[in-house]
């Protein structure tokens, strides 16, 4: 279980980096269009905090599920739980934030949609 918690924290760290990158790129785009907004930056940081809290809470619940079920003689392999965590949360979030960052970089560089394909 301890190894899984370390893995979860590492995955969360990667998500935080992607989130910060996404917010930074959004701030660059926003400052070009309407000027820099501390309010929007603060909302982005709050979003990161809340997302991280929800991510940790969800992973914790999934992580302790085999322990709880074991108390009533239902054995669930812990490897399955780790797979659910990785596929269910992390890869989905990575795809979303990587795509957002990718689109924002193209927007900043002025690359049109038809040239990207």
């Amino acid at each position: 279980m301890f190894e899984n918690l370390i893995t979860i924290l590492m995955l969360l760290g990667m998500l935080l980096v992607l989130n910060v990158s996404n917010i930074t790129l959004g701030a660059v785009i926003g400052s070009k269009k309407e000027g820099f907004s501390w309010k929007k930056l603060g909302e982005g940081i709050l979003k990161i905090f809340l997302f991280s809290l929800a991510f940790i809470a969800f992973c914790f619940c999934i992580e302790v599920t085999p322990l709880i079920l074991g108390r009533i003689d239902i054995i669930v392999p812990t490897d399955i739980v780790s797979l659910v965590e990785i596929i269910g949360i992390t890869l989905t979030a990575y795809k979303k934030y990587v795509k957002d960052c990718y689109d924002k970089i193209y927007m900043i560089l002025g690359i049109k949609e038809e040239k990207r394909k």
Side-chain angles (χ1 to χ4, degrees):
M1 182 170 158
F2 182 70
E3 286 294 319
N4 287 344
L5 292 175
I6 291 174
T7 303
I8 290 167
L9 291 175
M10 292 170 72
L11 293 170
L12 179 60
M14 288 177 57
L15 281 173
L16 289 174
V17 169
L18 283 171
N19 238 328
V20 168
S21 299
N22 189 35
I23 289 171
T24 303
L25 290 168
V28 169
I29 291 169
S31 66
K32 282 184 171 182
K33 291 181 179 178
E34 58 204 37
F36 183 79
S37 170
W38 285 102
K39 181 180 178 188
K40 283 189 178 184
L41 182 63
E43 289 172 354
I45 292 170
L46 179 62
K47 177 182 165 187
I48 289 174
F49 174 75
L50 294 175
F51 178 82
S52 300
L53 185 64
F55 181 88
I56 290 170
F58 182 78
C59 288
F60 175 78
C61 289
I62 289 177
E63 193 64 36
V64 299
T65 299
L67 298 173
I68 295 168
L69 292 176
R71 294 181 61 87
I72 56 173
D73 294 329
I74 299 174
I75 306 302
V76 178
T78 56
D79 295 346
I80 292 174
V81 172
S82 296
L83 181 65
V84 169
E85 289 171 351
I86 291 170
I87 291 174
I89 300 173
T90 329
L91 295 179
T92 304
Y94 288 164
K95 180 184 180 284
K96 183 230 183 292
Y97 287 111
V98 166
K99 184 181 179 318
D100 286 352
C101 289
Y102 181 77
D103 290 342
K104 288 176 181 174
I105 289 171
Y106 269 87
M107 187 181 295
I108 290 169
L109 295 176
I111 299 172
K112 302 288 184 206
E113 184 70 30
E114 62 272 2
K115 290 184 184 178
R116 291 181 10 190
K117 294 182 178 184

